[in-house]
Amino acid sequence: MRSIAPSRLLADLKRLYFARRWGVKEIAPAAWSHASHQMSRPTTMSRHTRFLCTLLLVITAGCNATPSPTGPTASAVAVLDVSATRRIGTSQSRVYEVWATVTTGGLAATVVTTSVTLSGGSAPPLTHSEPGTGSIKPGESRGLYVIVPDGPTDPVRSVVEVAVTLDDGAGHRSQAAGSGVVRDFGPPELTASVERATLAAGDVTRIHWRATNTAGVVIDPIVGALFPSEGSTEITPCPGTTMFDVRTGNVSGDAHILIPVTVGGAPRLPWYCGTWSGPATETWTDSAGAPGSWNGAVTLAAFQSAGRVTGHVVRNLPLHGNLVRPLTASVSAAGGLTATVPAEAAGYPRESGPRFACPIELDARLSPDGATLSGTFTAQCTPEANRIVTLQGRFDATRHENPYPAPYSPP
C-alpha cells in the first residue's frame, strides 16, 4: 500500500484551499518563467488558466489565445476581471497577487506596458510598473499575473487597478484600465485537543480539531490521510508516548499543535501494535490450470486490544499490484496471531481470478521485542464446480520506524 507523507499532503492542502477559496486552479510549474523581482513562486492561478502564459506580465504569442470581436466598433484594448489577494510571502513579508485579463481589438502590439496601483484603506497608494515587454496579436485575450511586494506591517489596501498600454511600434498606442477588490488572505487558525492523554495498552481515544482559512488538516504520524477542516478521529497509539502533530496551512502560512498521548506498558509480550513489511513467497495449484509461484511482499498493520487484533493485510502481487483486506485476528496464550483473511470485503478493491477466490488462513509470530513478524498463509477452496485451488506462502516482515499502525485509505 502506498502511503503519502504528511509533508506532501500539507503542500497539496495549501494549493487545494487557495483553489477552493478564490476559485483558482493550479498551474503546472513548466508554465512559469522567472523574473528578478519575483517574491515567491506561485502555485495557483485565476480561472482564466487557458489565457495565462508566463509570470509577471510577460505576454507572448500562443498559449491558447482566444479571439475577441474586431471591426469598426471594437475597442483596441480592454482590461477585465481584475482581482487581487494579499498574503504572506517569503520571510513573512506581505505580497499582493494580482490577476487580470487583457483583450485586444484590431491593434497588434509589439510592446505591452502594465501598471498596477493598490489603494484604499489607511495605507498610501502602492504602484508597481512593468516595462514594455512581450507582444500580443489582434483579437486575442491573455491573462496577466503579477506579484507586488508590500510592507510587512502596512494595512491592507482595498482596491486594485491595472492599466495596460499597447504599442505597435509604428506610433499607434491604445490604453485601458480595469479595477477590482483586494481580499486579505491570512494564515490559518487552528485549535486541537485529545479526549484522554493517558491510556492503557489497547485503549483508544479521539483527537478533535477546528481550523479556519484552510481546506483540511493532516495529523502526523497518521500517514496518507487528509482530514476535513473541522472534526475528530479515533486514534490507536501503541505503548509509549506518541506525539500527534495536527497541522494545516495555506499560501500565507502554517499552523500546528503538538498533542502527546502516553500509553502504558503492554500487559504481556509479544504485543501487536504497529506496521510490519517484508518479502513474501507464494505457490499455488489449480486443478483447472497450471501451478505457479511468485515473489512479492506483505504489509500487516495491527492494533491489539486485550486478545483481539484489528487492522489490515496488504499482499503485493506481481502484475496485480496491492491486494488489501481487513484483518481481525485473535492472539493465543503463547502469543501467536491467527486470522481468516476474507477473499472479498466491502469497501476494499476486488481482484478477479481463481488465485484470489479463497479466504486465507494466516498464522504469524511476533518477536518479543516486536521488531520482526514472521508467518505463513494457506488456502484451499472451490471457486467453481470441480475446480480446486490451493495456496501456500510465507513472509518475514520488519516493523516500520513510524510506530503508529498505518490506516487503510480506500482508493
Side-chain angles (χ1 to χ4, degrees), residues 108-147:
T110 57
V111 178
V112 181
T113 303
T114 307
S115 176
V116 176
T117 300
L118 295 136
S119 60
S122 58
L126 178 64
T127 300
H128 177 85
S129 296
E130 290 290 327
T133 184
S135 63
I136 189 168
K137 296 179 180 179
E140 288 186 340
S141 293
R142 297 293 180 84
L144 305 180
Y145 173 87
V146 65
I147 293 178

Side-chain angles (χ1 to χ4, degrees), residues 107-111 165-175:
L107 183 65
T110 57
V111 178
T165 301
L166 304 185
D167 191 328
D168 67 355
H172 300 101
R173 289 188 175 186
S174 184
Q175 296 178 320

Side-chain angles (χ1 to χ4, degrees), residues 18 32 44-46 52 55-57 79 81-87 95-101 114-118 126 128 143-149 159-163 178-182:
F18 201 64
W32 299 109
T44 55
M45 62 180 295
S46 75
L52 188 54
L55 178 64
L56 298 176
L57 306 179
V79 180
D81 303 316
V82 179
S83 64
T85 61
R86 190 181 79 150
R87 66 175 179 86
V95 296
Y96 289 91
E97 293 183 304
V98 180
W99 290 271
T101 299
T114 307
S115 176
V116 176
T117 300
L118 295 136
L126 178 64
H128 177 85
L144 305 180
Y145 173 87
V146 65
I147 293 178
V148 181
V159 178
V160 58
E161 182 182 76
V162 176
S179 61
V181 298
V182 177

Side-chain angles (χ1 to χ4, degrees), residues 360-371:
I360 291 175
E361 300 301 322
L362 179 69
D363 189 346
R365 295 290 185 275
L366 186 65
S367 63
D369 62 358

Side-chain angles (χ1 to χ4, degrees), residues 327-356:
L327 173 70
T328 301
S330 58
V331 180
S332 68
L337 181 147
T338 57
T340 299
V341 181
E344 296 184 13
Y348 288 78
R350 185 179 184 274
E351 189 74 42
S352 61
R355 284 179 58 194
F356 316 109

